[in-house]
Short mmCIF file of all heavy atoms in Angstrom, two decimals:
data_model
loop_
_atom_site.label_atom_id
_atom_site.label_comp_id
_atom_site.label_asym_id
_atom_site.label_seq_id
_atom_site.Cartn_x
_atom_site.Cartn_y
_atom_site.Cartn_z
N MET M 1 86.24 -175.19 92.35
CA MET M 1 86.50 -176.57 92.03
C MET M 1 87.45 -177.18 93.06
O MET M 1 87.29 -178.34 93.41
CB MET M 1 87.08 -176.69 90.62
CG MET M 1 87.43 -178.10 90.23
SD MET M 1 87.79 -178.37 88.51
CE MET M 1 89.21 -177.36 88.25
N SER M 2 88.42 -176.45 93.54
CA SER M 2 89.38 -177.03 94.47
C SER M 2 88.71 -177.46 95.78
O SER M 2 89.17 -178.40 96.42
CB SER M 2 90.52 -176.06 94.75
OG SER M 2 90.03 -174.91 95.39
N ASP M 3 87.62 -176.78 96.20
CA ASP M 3 86.91 -177.20 97.40
C ASP M 3 86.36 -178.61 97.23
O ASP M 3 86.41 -179.43 98.15
CB ASP M 3 85.76 -176.25 97.72
CG ASP M 3 86.25 -174.89 98.19
OD1 ASP M 3 87.39 -174.79 98.63
OD2 ASP M 3 85.45 -173.95 98.13
N ILE M 4 85.82 -178.90 96.07
CA ILE M 4 85.26 -180.22 95.79
C ILE M 4 86.37 -181.26 95.76
O ILE M 4 86.25 -182.33 96.36
CB ILE M 4 84.46 -180.22 94.47
CG1 ILE M 4 83.27 -179.28 94.60
CG2 ILE M 4 84.00 -181.63 94.11
CD1 ILE M 4 82.62 -178.95 93.29
N GLU M 5 87.46 -180.95 95.06
CA GLU M 5 88.57 -181.88 95.00
C GLU M 5 89.15 -182.14 96.39
O GLU M 5 89.47 -183.28 96.73
CB GLU M 5 89.65 -181.36 94.05
CG GLU M 5 89.22 -181.41 92.60
CD GLU M 5 90.19 -180.73 91.67
OE1 GLU M 5 90.97 -179.86 92.12
OE2 GLU M 5 90.17 -181.05 90.47
N ASP M 6 89.25 -181.09 97.20
CA ASP M 6 89.77 -181.26 98.56
C ASP M 6 88.84 -182.15 99.38
O ASP M 6 89.31 -183.01 100.13
CB ASP M 6 89.91 -179.91 99.25
CG ASP M 6 91.06 -179.09 98.68
OD1 ASP M 6 91.92 -179.67 98.01
OD2 ASP M 6 91.08 -177.86 98.93
N ALA M 7 87.52 -181.98 99.23
CA ALA M 7 86.56 -182.82 99.95
C ALA M 7 86.70 -184.28 99.52
O ALA M 7 86.66 -185.19 100.35
CB ALA M 7 85.14 -182.32 99.72
N LEU M 8 86.87 -184.50 98.23
CA LEU M 8 87.03 -185.86 97.74
C LEU M 8 88.30 -186.49 98.30
O LEU M 8 88.31 -187.64 98.71
CB LEU M 8 87.07 -185.89 96.21
CG LEU M 8 85.73 -185.70 95.52
CD1 LEU M 8 85.95 -185.50 94.02
CD2 LEU M 8 84.82 -186.88 95.77
N LYS M 9 89.36 -185.73 98.31
CA LYS M 9 90.63 -186.26 98.81
C LYS M 9 90.56 -186.56 100.30
O LYS M 9 91.14 -187.54 100.76
CB LYS M 9 91.76 -185.28 98.51
CG LYS M 9 92.11 -185.26 97.03
CD LYS M 9 93.17 -184.23 96.72
CE LYS M 9 93.41 -184.16 95.22
NZ LYS M 9 94.32 -183.09 94.86
N ARG M 10 89.86 -185.72 101.06
CA ARG M 10 89.75 -185.93 102.50
C ARG M 10 88.88 -187.13 102.82
O ARG M 10 89.19 -187.90 103.71
CB ARG M 10 89.14 -184.70 103.18
CG ARG M 10 90.09 -183.56 103.42
CD ARG M 10 89.47 -182.54 104.37
NE ARG M 10 88.12 -182.16 103.99
CZ ARG M 10 87.81 -181.16 103.18
NH1 ARG M 10 88.77 -180.43 102.64
NH2 ARG M 10 86.56 -180.87 102.91
N ARG M 11 87.77 -187.28 102.10
CA ARG M 11 86.76 -188.26 102.48
C ARG M 11 86.83 -189.57 101.73
O ARG M 11 86.41 -190.59 102.23
CB ARG M 11 85.37 -187.64 102.30
CG ARG M 11 85.14 -186.47 103.25
CD ARG M 11 83.77 -185.91 103.14
NE ARG M 11 82.80 -186.95 103.41
CZ ARG M 11 81.54 -186.86 103.07
NH1 ARG M 11 81.10 -185.80 102.45
NH2 ARG M 11 80.71 -187.84 103.35
N ALA M 12 87.30 -189.56 100.50
CA ALA M 12 87.30 -190.79 99.70
C ALA M 12 88.51 -191.65 100.04
O ALA M 12 89.49 -191.17 100.62
CB ALA M 12 87.30 -190.45 98.22
N GLU M 13 88.45 -192.89 99.63
CA GLU M 13 89.57 -193.80 99.84
C GLU M 13 90.70 -193.45 98.88
O GLU M 13 90.62 -192.48 98.13
CB GLU M 13 89.08 -195.24 99.63
CG GLU M 13 88.05 -195.63 100.66
CD GLU M 13 87.51 -197.03 100.47
OE1 GLU M 13 88.14 -197.82 99.77
OE2 GLU M 13 86.44 -197.29 101.04
N ALA M 14 91.74 -194.25 98.86
CA ALA M 14 92.95 -193.94 98.09
C ALA M 14 92.66 -193.72 96.61
O ALA M 14 93.40 -193.02 95.93
CB ALA M 14 93.97 -195.06 98.25
N ASP M 15 91.57 -194.28 96.09
CA ASP M 15 91.28 -194.16 94.67
C ASP M 15 90.64 -192.84 94.26
O ASP M 15 90.31 -192.66 93.10
CB ASP M 15 90.39 -195.32 94.22
CG ASP M 15 91.13 -196.63 94.30
OD1 ASP M 15 92.31 -196.66 93.91
OD2 ASP M 15 90.54 -197.61 94.75
N ALA M 16 90.48 -191.92 95.17
CA ALA M 16 89.90 -190.62 94.83
C ALA M 16 90.69 -189.91 93.74
O ALA M 16 90.13 -189.14 92.97
CB ALA M 16 89.80 -189.74 96.06
N LYS M 17 91.98 -190.19 93.65
CA LYS M 17 92.80 -189.53 92.63
C LYS M 17 92.40 -189.95 91.22
O LYS M 17 92.79 -189.32 90.26
CB LYS M 17 94.27 -189.81 92.88
CG LYS M 17 94.64 -191.26 92.80
CD LYS M 17 96.07 -191.49 93.18
CE LYS M 17 96.31 -192.98 93.24
NZ LYS M 17 97.10 -193.38 94.36
N THR M 18 91.61 -191.01 91.09
CA THR M 18 91.16 -191.43 89.77
C THR M 18 89.85 -190.76 89.37
O THR M 18 89.31 -191.06 88.31
CB THR M 18 90.98 -192.96 89.71
OG1 THR M 18 89.93 -193.34 90.59
CG2 THR M 18 92.26 -193.68 90.06
N ILE M 19 89.36 -189.84 90.19
CA ILE M 19 88.12 -189.13 89.89
C ILE M 19 88.47 -187.71 89.45
O ILE M 19 89.16 -186.98 90.17
CB ILE M 19 87.19 -189.08 91.12
CG1 ILE M 19 86.83 -190.48 91.57
CG2 ILE M 19 85.94 -188.26 90.81
CD1 ILE M 19 86.11 -190.55 92.90
N ALA M 20 87.99 -187.33 88.27
CA ALA M 20 88.20 -185.98 87.77
C ALA M 20 86.94 -185.17 88.05
O ALA M 20 85.82 -185.67 87.90
CB ALA M 20 88.49 -186.00 86.28
N VAL M 21 87.14 -183.93 88.46
CA VAL M 21 86.03 -183.03 88.78
C VAL M 21 86.07 -181.85 87.84
O VAL M 21 87.11 -181.20 87.70
CB VAL M 21 86.15 -182.53 90.24
CG1 VAL M 21 85.02 -181.58 90.59
CG2 VAL M 21 86.20 -183.70 91.22
N SER M 22 84.94 -181.57 87.20
CA SER M 22 84.86 -180.35 86.40
C SER M 22 83.61 -179.59 86.83
O SER M 22 82.59 -180.19 87.18
CB SER M 22 84.83 -180.65 84.90
OG SER M 22 83.70 -181.40 84.57
N VAL M 23 83.74 -178.27 86.84
CA VAL M 23 82.65 -177.41 87.30
C VAL M 23 82.30 -176.42 86.22
O VAL M 23 83.17 -175.76 85.66
CB VAL M 23 83.07 -176.66 88.59
CG1 VAL M 23 81.95 -175.75 89.06
CG2 VAL M 23 83.46 -177.64 89.68
N THR M 24 81.01 -176.36 85.92
CA THR M 24 80.49 -175.37 84.99
C THR M 24 79.35 -174.66 85.71
O THR M 24 78.29 -175.25 85.94
CB THR M 24 79.97 -176.03 83.70
OG1 THR M 24 81.01 -176.81 83.12
CG2 THR M 24 79.48 -174.99 82.71
N GLY M 25 79.59 -173.42 86.10
CA GLY M 25 78.59 -172.71 86.89
C GLY M 25 78.39 -173.43 88.22
O GLY M 25 79.33 -173.62 88.97
N ALA M 26 77.15 -173.86 88.47
CA ALA M 26 76.83 -174.59 89.71
C ALA M 26 76.72 -176.09 89.47
O ALA M 26 76.28 -176.83 90.34
CB ALA M 26 75.53 -174.05 90.29
N ASP M 27 77.11 -176.55 88.26
CA ASP M 27 77.04 -177.97 87.91
C ASP M 27 78.42 -178.61 88.06
O ASP M 27 79.42 -178.08 87.60
CB ASP M 27 76.56 -178.16 86.47
CG ASP M 27 75.16 -177.64 86.24
OD1 ASP M 27 74.46 -177.34 87.22
OD2 ASP M 27 74.76 -177.55 85.07
N VAL M 28 78.44 -179.77 88.69
CA VAL M 28 79.68 -180.52 88.90
C VAL M 28 79.58 -181.83 88.13
O VAL M 28 78.58 -182.55 88.26
CB VAL M 28 79.89 -180.82 90.40
CG1 VAL M 28 81.12 -181.69 90.61
CG2 VAL M 28 79.99 -179.54 91.19
N THR M 29 80.59 -182.15 87.34
CA THR M 29 80.65 -183.42 86.62
C THR M 29 81.80 -184.24 87.18
O THR M 29 82.93 -183.75 87.28
CB THR M 29 80.85 -183.20 85.11
OG1 THR M 29 79.77 -182.40 84.62
CG2 THR M 29 80.87 -184.53 84.36
N LEU M 30 81.49 -185.48 87.55
CA LEU M 30 82.49 -186.41 88.08
C LEU M 30 82.74 -187.49 87.04
O LEU M 30 81.80 -188.13 86.57
CB LEU M 30 81.98 -187.06 89.37
CG LEU M 30 81.60 -186.11 90.50
CD1 LEU M 30 80.98 -186.89 91.65
CD2 LEU M 30 82.80 -185.31 90.97
N THR M 31 84.00 -187.68 86.66
CA THR M 31 84.37 -188.73 85.70
C THR M 31 85.54 -189.50 86.29
O THR M 31 86.21 -189.05 87.20
CB THR M 31 84.76 -188.14 84.33
OG1 THR M 31 85.82 -187.20 84.53
CG2 THR M 31 83.59 -187.45 83.65
N GLY M 32 85.77 -190.67 85.74
CA GLY M 32 86.88 -191.51 86.19
C GLY M 32 86.37 -192.86 86.63
O GLY M 32 85.26 -193.27 86.27
N THR M 33 87.19 -193.54 87.42
CA THR M 33 86.83 -194.89 87.85
C THR M 33 86.86 -195.00 89.37
O THR M 33 87.66 -194.35 90.04
CB THR M 33 87.78 -195.95 87.27
OG1 THR M 33 89.11 -195.63 87.66
CG2 THR M 33 87.69 -196.01 85.76
N VAL M 34 85.96 -195.83 89.87
CA VAL M 34 85.93 -196.19 91.29
C VAL M 34 85.84 -197.71 91.35
O VAL M 34 85.59 -198.37 90.34
CB VAL M 34 84.74 -195.54 92.02
CG1 VAL M 34 84.92 -194.03 92.10
CG2 VAL M 34 83.41 -195.88 91.36
N HIS M 35 86.03 -198.27 92.54
CA HIS M 35 86.04 -199.72 92.66
C HIS M 35 84.82 -200.30 93.37
O HIS M 35 84.76 -201.51 93.59
CB HIS M 35 87.32 -200.18 93.36
CG HIS M 35 88.53 -199.92 92.51
ND1 HIS M 35 89.34 -198.82 92.67
CD2 HIS M 35 89.04 -200.61 91.46
CE1 HIS M 35 90.30 -198.85 91.77
NE2 HIS M 35 90.14 -199.92 91.02
N SER M 36 83.87 -199.45 93.72
CA SER M 36 82.66 -199.95 94.38
C SER M 36 81.57 -198.90 94.33
O SER M 36 81.83 -197.72 94.08
CB SER M 36 82.95 -200.32 95.84
OG SER M 36 83.21 -199.15 96.59
N TRP M 37 80.35 -199.37 94.58
CA TRP M 37 79.22 -198.44 94.67
C TRP M 37 79.43 -197.50 95.85
O TRP M 37 79.05 -196.33 95.80
CB TRP M 37 77.90 -199.18 94.80
CG TRP M 37 77.43 -199.75 93.50
CD1 TRP M 37 77.54 -201.04 93.08
CD2 TRP M 37 76.81 -199.03 92.43
NE1 TRP M 37 77.02 -201.17 91.82
CE2 TRP M 37 76.57 -199.95 91.39
CE3 TRP M 37 76.45 -197.70 92.26
CZ2 TRP M 37 75.97 -199.58 90.20
CZ3 TRP M 37 75.85 -197.34 91.06
CH2 TRP M 37 75.62 -198.26 90.05
N ALA M 38 80.05 -197.98 96.91
CA ALA M 38 80.28 -197.15 98.09
C ALA M 38 81.21 -195.97 97.75
O ALA M 38 80.96 -194.84 98.17
CB ALA M 38 80.88 -197.98 99.21
N GLU M 39 82.26 -196.23 96.98
CA GLU M 39 83.16 -195.15 96.55
C GLU M 39 82.42 -194.16 95.66
O GLU M 39 82.61 -192.95 95.78
CB GLU M 39 84.37 -195.71 95.80
CG GLU M 39 85.38 -196.37 96.70
CD GLU M 39 86.61 -196.83 95.93
OE1 GLU M 39 87.00 -196.19 94.94
OE2 GLU M 39 87.16 -197.87 96.32
N ARG M 40 81.58 -194.68 94.78
CA ARG M 40 80.81 -193.82 93.89
C ARG M 40 79.86 -192.93 94.69
O ARG M 40 79.78 -191.72 94.48
CB ARG M 40 80.03 -194.68 92.91
CG ARG M 40 79.35 -193.92 91.81
CD ARG M 40 78.63 -194.88 90.91
NE ARG M 40 78.37 -194.26 89.63
CZ ARG M 40 78.14 -194.92 88.52
NH1 ARG M 40 78.16 -196.23 88.52
NH2 ARG M 40 77.91 -194.27 87.41
N ASP M 41 79.18 -193.53 95.66
CA ASP M 41 78.26 -192.77 96.52
C ASP M 41 79.01 -191.71 97.32
O ASP M 41 78.54 -190.58 97.46
CB ASP M 41 77.51 -193.70 97.47
CG ASP M 41 76.46 -194.54 96.76
OD1 ASP M 41 76.09 -194.23 95.61
OD2 ASP M 41 76.01 -195.53 97.38
N LEU M 42 80.17 -192.07 97.84
CA LEU M 42 80.96 -191.13 98.61
C LEU M 42 81.38 -189.93 97.77
O LEU M 42 81.29 -188.78 98.21
CB LEU M 42 82.19 -191.83 99.18
CG LEU M 42 83.08 -191.01 100.10
CD1 LEU M 42 82.31 -190.49 101.30
CD2 LEU M 42 84.25 -191.86 100.56
N ALA M 43 81.79 -190.18 96.54
CA ALA M 43 82.20 -189.09 95.65
C ALA M 43 81.02 -188.17 95.33
O ALA M 43 81.15 -186.94 95.39
CB ALA M 43 82.80 -189.65 94.37
N THR M 44 79.87 -188.75 94.99
CA THR M 44 78.72 -187.91 94.64
C THR M 44 78.21 -187.15 95.86
O THR M 44 77.87 -185.97 95.75
CB THR M 44 77.58 -188.73 94.00
OG1 THR M 44 77.20 -189.79 94.87
CG2 THR M 44 77.99 -189.28 92.64
N HIS M 45 78.19 -187.79 97.02
CA HIS M 45 77.76 -187.09 98.23
C HIS M 45 78.72 -185.96 98.61
O HIS M 45 78.30 -184.91 99.07
CB HIS M 45 77.59 -188.06 99.39
CG HIS M 45 76.34 -188.87 99.30
ND1 HIS M 45 76.33 -190.16 98.80
CD2 HIS M 45 75.06 -188.58 99.61
CE1 HIS M 45 75.11 -190.61 98.81
NE2 HIS M 45 74.31 -189.68 99.30
N SER M 46 80.00 -186.18 98.39
CA SER M 46 80.99 -185.13 98.66
C SER M 46 80.76 -183.93 97.75
O SER M 46 80.84 -182.78 98.18
CB SER M 46 82.40 -185.66 98.46
OG SER M 46 82.69 -186.65 99.42
N ALA M 47 80.47 -184.21 96.48
CA ALA M 47 80.20 -183.12 95.54
C ALA M 47 78.95 -182.36 95.95
O ALA M 47 78.93 -181.12 95.96
CB ALA M 47 80.07 -183.67 94.12
N TRP M 48 77.89 -183.09 96.29
CA TRP M 48 76.64 -182.45 96.72
C TRP M 48 76.84 -181.61 97.97
O TRP M 48 76.16 -180.60 98.17
CB TRP M 48 75.54 -183.48 96.96
CG TRP M 48 74.78 -183.86 95.74
CD1 TRP M 48 74.74 -185.09 95.17
CD2 TRP M 48 73.93 -183.03 94.95
NE1 TRP M 48 73.93 -185.08 94.06
CE2 TRP M 48 73.42 -183.81 93.90
CE3 TRP M 48 73.58 -181.69 95.01
CZ2 TRP M 48 72.56 -183.32 92.94
CZ3 TRP M 48 72.71 -181.18 94.05
CH2 TRP M 48 72.22 -181.99 93.02
N GLY M 49 77.77 -182.01 98.82
CA GLY M 49 78.01 -181.30 100.07
C GLY M 49 78.82 -180.03 99.92
O GLY M 49 78.98 -179.29 100.88
N SER M 50 79.29 -179.75 98.73
CA SER M 50 80.08 -178.54 98.50
C SER M 50 79.16 -177.35 98.27
O SER M 50 78.12 -177.46 97.63
CB SER M 50 81.00 -178.74 97.29
OG SER M 50 81.88 -179.80 97.54
N ALA M 51 79.56 -176.22 98.80
CA ALA M 51 78.75 -175.00 98.71
C ALA M 51 78.46 -174.60 97.27
O ALA M 51 79.35 -174.64 96.42
CB ALA M 51 79.46 -173.86 99.43
N GLY M 52 77.23 -174.25 97.00
CA GLY M 52 76.83 -173.71 95.70
C GLY M 52 76.49 -174.73 94.64
O GLY M 52 76.05 -174.37 93.55
N VAL M 53 76.66 -176.01 94.91
CA VAL M 53 76.39 -177.04 93.90
C VAL M 53 74.88 -177.21 93.74
O VAL M 53 74.15 -177.39 94.72
CB VAL M 53 77.04 -178.39 94.29
CG1 VAL M 53 76.60 -179.50 93.35
CG2 VAL M 53 78.55 -178.25 94.29
N GLN M 54 74.42 -177.13 92.50
CA GLN M 54 73.01 -177.31 92.21
C GLN M 54 72.73 -178.59 91.43
O GLN M 54 71.60 -179.06 91.39
CB GLN M 54 72.47 -176.11 91.42
CG GLN M 54 72.47 -174.84 92.25
CD GLN M 54 71.93 -173.66 91.47
OE1 GLN M 54 71.54 -173.78 90.32
NE2 GLN M 54 71.93 -172.51 92.10
N LYS M 55 73.76 -179.16 90.79
CA LYS M 55 73.57 -180.37 90.00
C LYS M 55 74.87 -181.15 90.00
O LYS M 55 75.95 -180.58 89.82
CB LYS M 55 73.18 -179.99 88.57
CG LYS M 55 72.89 -181.15 87.66
CD LYS M 55 72.47 -180.64 86.28
CE LYS M 55 72.12 -181.76 85.35
NZ LYS M 55 71.73 -181.25 84.02
N VAL M 56 74.76 -182.47 90.20
CA VAL M 56 75.93 -183.36 90.11
C VAL M 56 75.67 -184.35 88.98
O VAL M 56 74.66 -185.06 88.99
CB VAL M 56 76.18 -184.11 91.43
CG1 VAL M 56 77.32 -185.11 91.26
CG2 VAL M 56 76.50 -183.13 92.56
N ILE M 57 76.58 -184.37 88.02
CA ILE M 57 76.48 -185.28 86.88
C ILE M 57 77.50 -186.39 87.10
O ILE M 57 78.71 -186.14 87.14
CB ILE M 57 76.74 -184.54 85.56
CG1 ILE M 57 75.74 -183.38 85.41
CG2 ILE M 57 76.67 -185.50 84.37
CD1 ILE M 57 76.15 -182.34 84.40
N ASP M 58 77.00 -187.60 87.27
CA ASP M 58 77.84 -188.75 87.59
C ASP M 58 78.17 -189.52 86.31
O ASP M 58 77.31 -190.18 85.74
CB ASP M 58 77.11 -189.66 88.58
CG ASP M 58 77.86 -190.92 88.90
OD1 ASP M 58 79.00 -191.10 88.41
OD2 ASP M 58 77.31 -191.74 89.65
N LYS M 59 79.41 -189.42 85.87
CA LYS M 59 79.89 -190.16 84.69
C LYS M 59 80.99 -191.13 85.08
O LYS M 59 81.80 -191.52 84.25
CB LYS M 59 80.39 -189.17 83.62
CG LYS M 59 79.29 -188.32 83.03
CD LYS M 59 79.83 -187.50 81.88
CE LYS M 59 78.71 -186.72 81.21
NZ LYS M 59 79.22 -185.96 80.05
N MET M 60 81.01 -191.52 86.34
CA MET M 60 82.05 -192.44 86.83
C MET M 60 81.71 -193.86 86.44
O MET M 60 80.56 -194.23 86.31
CB MET M 60 82.17 -192.33 88.35
CG MET M 60 82.69 -190.99 88.82
SD MET M 60 82.78 -190.88 90.62
CE MET M 60 81.04 -190.74 91.03
N ASN M 61 82.76 -194.65 86.26
CA ASN M 61 82.62 -196.07 85.96
C ASN M 61 83.10 -196.87 87.16
O ASN M 61 84.07 -196.51 87.80
CB ASN M 61 83.47 -196.46 84.75
CG ASN M 61 82.98 -195.78 83.48
OD1 ASN M 61 81.80 -195.84 83.18
ND2 ASN M 61 83.90 -195.13 82.79
N ILE M 62 82.42 -198.00 87.40
CA ILE M 62 82.85 -198.90 88.46
C ILE M 62 83.65 -200.02 87.82
O ILE M 62 83.18 -200.69 86.91
CB ILE M 62 81.66 -199.46 89.25
CG1 ILE M 62 80.90 -198.32 89.92
CG2 ILE M 62 82.13 -200.48 90.27
CD1 ILE M 62 79.65 -198.77 90.64
N VAL M 63 84.88 -200.21 88.30
CA VAL M 63 85.74 -201.28 87.83
C VAL M 63 86.00 -202.18 89.02
O VAL M 63 86.61 -201.79 90.00
CB VAL M 63 87.08 -200.72 87.29
CG1 VAL M 63 88.00 -201.84 86.86
CG2 VAL M 63 86.82 -199.76 86.14
N TYR M 64 85.48 -203.39 88.93
CA TYR M 64 85.61 -204.33 90.06
C TYR M 64 86.94 -205.04 90.02
O TYR M 64 87.56 -205.25 89.07
CB TYR M 64 84.47 -205.36 90.02
CG TYR M 64 83.14 -204.72 90.22
CD1 TYR M 64 82.30 -204.44 89.14
CD2 TYR M 64 82.71 -204.39 91.50
CE1 TYR M 64 81.06 -203.86 89.35
CE2 TYR M 64 81.47 -203.82 91.71
CZ TYR M 64 80.65 -203.54 90.63
OH TYR M 64 79.44 -202.97 90.83
#
């Protein structure tokens, strides 16, 4: 899980700290808030780019 969190922190904007990451087996669930579709896409792509991930469940909310 820390690899995914580290990737989010490196690649996402300052609001990455509002994204919670949970891992069950090879499934990653992202929850929390982002401020744009671009931030949401960046978070999901970062999760997909982590080794061993087979499924990304996006439960993030966009708050404009």
Side-chain angles (χ1 to χ4, degrees):
M1 178 168 62
S2 64
D3 290 340
I4 296 166
E5 289 172 338
D6 288 343
L8 285 170
K9 288 176 185 174
R10 280 193 311 270
R11 295 183 58 198
E13 296 178 18
D15 292 318
K17 62 186 173 222
T18 65
I19 300 170
V21 179
S22 62
V23 179
T24 304
D27 297 348
V28 176
T29 302
L30 303 174
T31 56
T33 57
V34 293
H35 293 98
S36 69
W37 283 101
E39 285 184 33
R40 189 179 200 159
D41 288 344
L42 184 58
T44 56
H45 284 98
S46 295
W48 275 116
S50 299
V53 172
Q54 293 180 1
K55 183 178 182 181
V56 175
I57 302 162
D58 176 3
K59 293 187 176 183
M60 293 178 287
N61 295 309
I62 299 176
V63 177
Y64 295 100

